[in-house]
Amino acid sequence: MKLITSRDNPAVKHLHALATSARDRRREGETLLDGAHLLQVALARGVALRQVVVSESGKALPEIASLLARCAPDVLIEVPDRVFAHISPVDSPSGVLARISIPAQPDAGPLVDTCVVLDGVQDPGNLGTILRTAAAVGVEEVLLTPGCAQAWSPRVLRAAMGAHFGLRLREGCDVAPALAGFPGAILAADLRDAVELYDMDLRPPVAWLFGSEGQGLSPAVATLATRRVLIPMPGGMESLNVGVAAGVCLFEQLRQRRSGR
């Protein structure tokens, strides 16, 4: 295993740039997987690891040591804890991270089954949560408008817990042509002229539209909806976090499909 001790090393500078700059991630076509869980998922999925970096203290942890044993020796780098903290994309360093290439965008084929459209969702935690939920219920297609957070950023990857590798993510998507000819309902969570979620038949394909945390759906995306749905809140709250709202909708659809409504 190669040992690097200086923050001025070109490899360390490159990793720091990937951890902190969306522009550098786009330019290099690379990102970072932070933590043992994401490294484990990547190894299980056969993701090509360009580099695996472990801290001095992380190397001593049995979980991390067992993962390092499964990696090709020529991609392994050890750094002191202080250097790892410098390149870590999170405030509490996990002890191990991996550098990977960002996968190419999937082919923009026709959408025929349930999909999720995210419009201006900017919080990495919310975005990662929705991706994780979509993967959990078996929805593979996720479309992101240009106003969304970068789907392959380290913080979104961490929040999604490996969901990325089971999804087809279309970033910077022009939603209107993508949904042209969609065979099912296009549903927007809204409070105006809305039908309660639990009164709708969600067994056919649905294109779910979820908007930004503060502004909701943009007018251009909102006009694509064929129906508006309301999540009942008898407790008197005016709204839900977008990650929670997406979870309620997607799992209600899953429930109906499994139970026959």
Side-chain angles (χ1 to χ4, degrees), residues 54-61 64 78-81 95:
V54 63
S55 68
E56 183 180 4
S57 60
K59 187 178 69 170
L61 299 176
I64 292 177
E78 179 185 345
V79 298
D81 287 356

Side-chain angles (χ1 to χ4, degrees), residues 73-87:
D74 61 331
V75 304
L76 298 178
I77 293 177
E78 179 185 345
V79 298
D81 287 356
R82 58 178 174 79
V83 175
F84 192 91
H86 174 64
I87 62 177

Side-chain angles (χ1 to χ4, degrees), residues 49-139:
L49 304 175
R50 307 196 70 170
Q51 207 167 52
V52 177
V53 184
V54 63
S55 68
E56 183 180 4
S57 60
K59 187 178 69 170
L61 299 176
E63 180 184 20
I64 292 177
S66 66
L67 292 173
L68 298 179
R70 297 167 56 188
C71 299
D74 61 331
V75 304
L76 298 178
I77 293 177
E78 179 185 345
V79 298
D81 287 356
R82 58 178 174 79
V83 175
F84 192 91
H86 174 64
I87 62 177
S88 173
V90 295
D91 296 333
S92 300
S94 64
V96 67
L97 57 81
R99 176 168 62 92
I100 66 167
S101 297
I102 296 175
Q105 291 260 53
D107 295 335
L111 297 167
V112 297
D113 201 355
T114 291
C115 62
V116 170
V117 175
L118 302 180
D119 181 31
V121 177
Q122 298 176 343
D123 181 80
N126 284 337
L127 179 52
T129 295
I130 296 171
L131 297 183
R132 187 177 180 183
T133 302
V137 300
V139 172

